[in-house]
Amino acid sequence: MKQGRDGRRFRRAGVFLMAAVVLFAAVGCGKKATPQNLLADMQENAKDMKAVEATLKMGMSMSDGSSKMEMGIDIDMESTMDPQELHMDGEIKINISGLDMGTDIEVYQVKEDSEDIMYINLMNEWMRSKTDTAGQTFDFKDMDTMKSLAKLADQFELAEKPVEVEGKECFELTGVITGDIFKDVMNKDFLDSFGVGELIDEDDIAKMEVPCTIDISREDILPVRMYMDMKDAVGAVGGNELGDVTVDEYYMEILYTSFNKTDKIEVPANVKESATNVTEDLEDALEEDLENGLGGGTGASLGSGEPLQRADQSTELGATWDSYTVEINDKVLTFPCTIADVEEAGIKLDTDYTPLDTVVSAGDYELGFFMDDKGNEVAFEISNSGSADLPLNECLVTGITIGDYDLSYGGLTVVLPGGVQVGMTKEEVLAIYGETEDVYEGETQHMYTWSDPNDFYKYCEIDFDASTGKVVSMVLTCTEF
C-alpha cells in the first residue's frame, strides 16, 4: 500500500511519547529497586524533562482466511516540552496478500507566530497547514500522577536479574496494564495513531488487558524500552468490527535514545519554501486520502487534488478478460511481454527494489514496480517459465496488479480488457465479464475472480469496496509454469 500517513495520528503518538517518559521514568539512587520505587518519583523527574528523543516501532498482522495484511512503522522522533514541538522521520511498510507497499514519512509540528503549524512530507511532496492542538497536548502538571503510578506499579514484577537492552544494563518490569490505568495511558487518541481507535469503542478501552515490558537503565534510572503486546486486547474488544478477521500480531515499542538533547525543533528552509499551503484541514484530508487508498473508494488523489478520471478504451484492447491485454496510458500491452514493452508506456522499473540482475528461479516470479514521473506506481509480475534460472531482464512480464491508491497522483491510466478500470461499479464489471462463482464477500471488500479452468495461474481478480460497490483493485495474470 504505497500507503501512506495521517498527521494527526503521528502527532498524537508523539504526545503519548512524552507522557510515557513521565509514567516510566524511575527514582534516583539510594532506594531498593522495586516496581513501586522505580515508578514512584515521576512528578519530580517530569519537572526536569525538557525534551525526549526516541524510536517508535509498531507491527501489525491481520488475516481473514483468504488474504493477509501486514503493516510496520519505524519512526525516529524528537519532541520538546516548551514549546511543545515535534519532528518525526521514518517509514511505513505494508504488505497485502504478498504485494509490498510503503512510503517514507516526515512530519514537523512547530509554533509559527503563535500558531500551531504542521509540515508533512508524503511521497516527496511537502504540505503545510495550521493545526488545532487544543485539548490534545500533554501537561505534566495536570496529571494525577500518584494515583496512576500506584495502580501501575502494583501490576508489575521486577525480574530477578538485570537484562541488556540497546547496550545498557537494565531493570526489567513485566506486567499487564488494565482498567483505569490502561485507559489513562492508552486513550482513544493514542489508539487512533495506530489505526485501532475505530475498532474500539471508547467505553471498551478500560476493559483491555495489555501485557507490557518496561526496561529501565541501571546507570541513570531512566527508561530504555517499553513494549506493549496489543494482539489479544485488540482482538477481544474489536471483535464486532473485525468480524472474521484474526489479529495475528499487534505490538508497539518505544526505544528511548536520549533525553534533553533537543533544544528546538527547526524546520529546514527548503521545506518551508517548497511546502504547499493547504487551506482545508490537512489531517482530515490526509486521513480521507489514506482510507481511499487502502480500499475505501476512489476519492480525491493526494498529488493532483482531482478525482480519478475514467479513461477511454483503445480499440486495440481485448474485449474479454482472457485476452490478457492491458492499456497503460495510450499503449496496449499483451501478456506475456518484455520489460522494455512496459517501459514504452511511460513507466520505469524501480531497479532499486528489483535490480535487473535479480536471479529468478525456474518456475518462479518476482514483483517489479514501475513508476511514472509523478509518483504513481504499478506492480507487474515478471516470470521465469523456463527450466533454468534467469536474470530478471531475461524474464517476461506476465501479469499486473493495480489499486486505486497506486493511481493517486493522477495522470496515469490503467485499463483492463473490455474497459474495466478502477472506479467502475460492480454492475458495470459484471456486464462486461459476466457472473462468476468464485466470489468472496468480506466486511471491507468483495473479491470476484474469473479464471482459466485448465490453468491455475491464468485469472483476473477484481476487488470492490464493500460499501460503495466500486472497483478498488485489479489483478490480471497469464503466467505459464
Side-chain angles (χ1 to χ4, degrees):
M1 309 162 199
K2 281 204 180 225
Q3 332 271 312
R5 318 326 173 221
D6 185 346
R8 176 190 292 125
R9 293 178 177 178
F10 291 109
R11 187 186 69 239
R12 289 172 177 169
V15 168
F16 173 78
L17 176 63
M18 298 302 297
V21 171
V22 179
L23 285 174
F24 305 118
V27 298
C29 300
K31 295 182 180 180
K32 180 181 179 180
T34 66
Q36 290 74 19
N37 286 339
L38 289 172
L39 299 171
D41 291 337
M42 75 161 188
Q43 200 165 17
E44 287 301 315
N45 290 337
K47 292 179 180 178
D48 298 326
M49 193 63 65
K50 301 183 184 300
V52 61
E53 299 79 32
T55 296
L56 177 67
K57 296 178 182 289
M58 174 265 182
M60 181 196 76
S61 177
M62 295 183 177
S63 58
D64 62 3
S66 63
S67 61
K68 186 172 185 178
M69 173 181 173
E70 298 175 316
M71 180 169 70
I73 296 175
D74 190 343
I75 295 178
D76 293 326
M77 310 171 66
E78 52 182 349
S79 183
T80 60
M81 287 301 300
D82 188 14
Q84 289 190 344
E85 296 184 328
L86 177 69
H87 175 226
M88 304 183 189
D89 190 7
E91 63 178 350
I92 299 176
K93 294 182 178 180
I94 298 173
N95 182 291
I96 301 180
S97 298
L99 178 61
D100 289 317
M101 293 165 280
T103 189
D104 295 332
I105 174 75
E106 188 169 9
V107 178
Y108 289 92
Q109 184 182 321
V110 295
K111 291 278 189 181
E112 291 184 0
D113 298 325
S114 300
E115 293 182 324
D116 290 302
I117 302 297
M118 182 177 293
Y119 294 86
I120 297 181
N121 185 324
L122 280 178
M123 300 181 184
N124 299 316
E125 180 180 358
W126 279 104
M127 290 167 284
R128 176 188 185 276
S129 175
K130 295 179 183 178
T131 181
D132 180 13
T133 59
Q136 298 173 358
T137 55
F138 179 79
D139 187 340
F140 290 134
K141 297 179 180 179
D142 290 342
M143 187 173 183
D144 185 359
T145 57
M146 298 306 293
K147 182 177 179 181
S148 295
L149 278 179
K151 291 182 178 179
L152 186 67
D154 290 342
Q155 298 182 60
F156 280 83
E157 294 183 357
L158 176 64
E160 293 184 1
K161 296 181 180 180
V163 297
E164 184 173 322
V165 180
E166 298 295 303
K168 298 179 180 180
E169 189 174 1
C170 297
F171 295 111
E172 185 164 271
L173 302 179
T174 57
V176 176
I177 300 179
T178 61
D180 293 338
I181 293 298
F182 184 75
K183 192 170 184 179
D184 286 343
V185 178
M186 299 289 287
N187 56 61
K188 186 69 156 53
D189 285 344
F190 176 66
L191 293 173
D192 281 342
S193 71
F194 293 100
V196 190
E198 294 180 2
L199 300 179
I200 303 171
D201 185 85
E202 189 81 37
D203 294 334
D204 286 334
I205 295 177
K207 303 175 185 177
M208 296 178 72
E209 297 185 354
V210 177
C212 180
T213 300
I214 304 166
D215 296 301
I216 301 171
S217 170
R218 293 192 65 176
E219 179 181 358
D220 52 19
I221 315 299
L222 285 172
V224 175
R225 172 181 179 265
M226 181 177 70
Y227 180 93
M228 284 189 283
D229 184 352
M230 302 168 61
K231 170 187 169 183
D232 293 337
V234 171
V237 302
N240 292 335
E241 293 291 338
L242 290 171
D244 296 332
V245 175
T246 300
V247 180
D248 302 311
E249 179 183 64
Y250 216 119
Y251 74 88
M252 188 276 295
E253 179 182 57
I254 296 177
L255 297 172
Y256 299 92
T257 55
S258 60
F259 300 95
N260 296 331
K261 287 189 176 181
T262 302
D263 295 326
K264 183 174 177 56
I265 305 296
E266 297 279 0
V267 182
N270 66 306
V271 172
K272 292 183 177 182
E273 293 170 1
S274 63
T276 301
N277 281 306
V278 179
T279 55
E280 61 182 315
D281 188 307
L282 177 58
E283 299 164 9
D284 289 343
L286 286 171
E287 184 171 7
E288 179 181 353
D289 187 79
L290 288 172
E291 289 174 354
N292 288 337
L294 300 179
T298 54
S301 69
L302 180 61
S304 67
E306 299 176 356
L308 296 171
Q309 300 296 317
R310 189 168 297 187
D312 293 332
Q313 178 184 350
S314 169
T315 56
E316 299 177 17
L317 191 66
T320 60
W321 71 266
D322 54 2
S323 64
Y324 304 112
T325 55
V326 60
E327 182 178 357
I328 309 290
N329 294 328
D330 295 325
K331 182 176 178 59
V332 174
L333 303 170
T334 301
F335 296 135
C337 63
T338 66
I339 292 174
D341 290 334
V342 176
E343 292 190 332
E344 287 179 5
I347 50 180
K348 297 295 183 182
L349 176 66
D350 182 355
T351 53
D352 289 334
Y353 184 88
T354 315
L356 287 174
D357 59 358
T358 298
V359 176
V360 183
S361 301
D364 202 354
Y365 71 92
E366 291 285 341
L367 283 178
F369 294 90
F370 291 70
M371 299 183 67
D372 67 8
D373 55 5
K374 296 182 179 64
N376 299 297
E377 184 177 79
V378 186
F380 286 86
E381 184 180 279
I382 305 174
S383 304
N384 177 6
S385 59
S387 57
D389 297 350
L390 292 174
L392 189 78
N393 61 350
E394 294 183 21
C395 297
L396 292 177
V397 178
T398 56
I400 183 173
T401 298
I402 186 71
D404 55 358
Y405 189 80
D406 301 315
L407 305 173
S408 61
Y409 278 95
L412 176 67
T413 59
V414 178
V415 186
L416 294 195
V420 172
Q421 54 195 286
V422 167
M424 268 190 169
T425 65
K426 184 183 296 184
E427 291 73 20
E428 289 175 313
V429 174
L430 293 179
I432 298 170
Y433 289 168
E435 298 289 342
T436 175
E437 294 182 358
D438 191 350
V439 176
Y440 170 79
E441 296 189 346
E443 293 289 329
T444 60
Q445 285 193 359
H446 295 173
M447 302 164 59
Y448 283 59
T449 304
W450 295 261
S451 55
D452 186 326
N454 300 314
D455 197 327
F456 176 80
Y457 295 102
K458 294 182 178 181
Y459 67 91
C460 177
E461 177 188 315
I462 307 296
D463 297 341
F464 304 91
D465 178 75
S467 60
T468 67
K470 293 185 177 181
V471 176
V472 292
S473 65
M474 310 183 297
V475 180
L476 178 64
T477 179
C478 68
T479 308
E480 294 184 354
F481 289 143

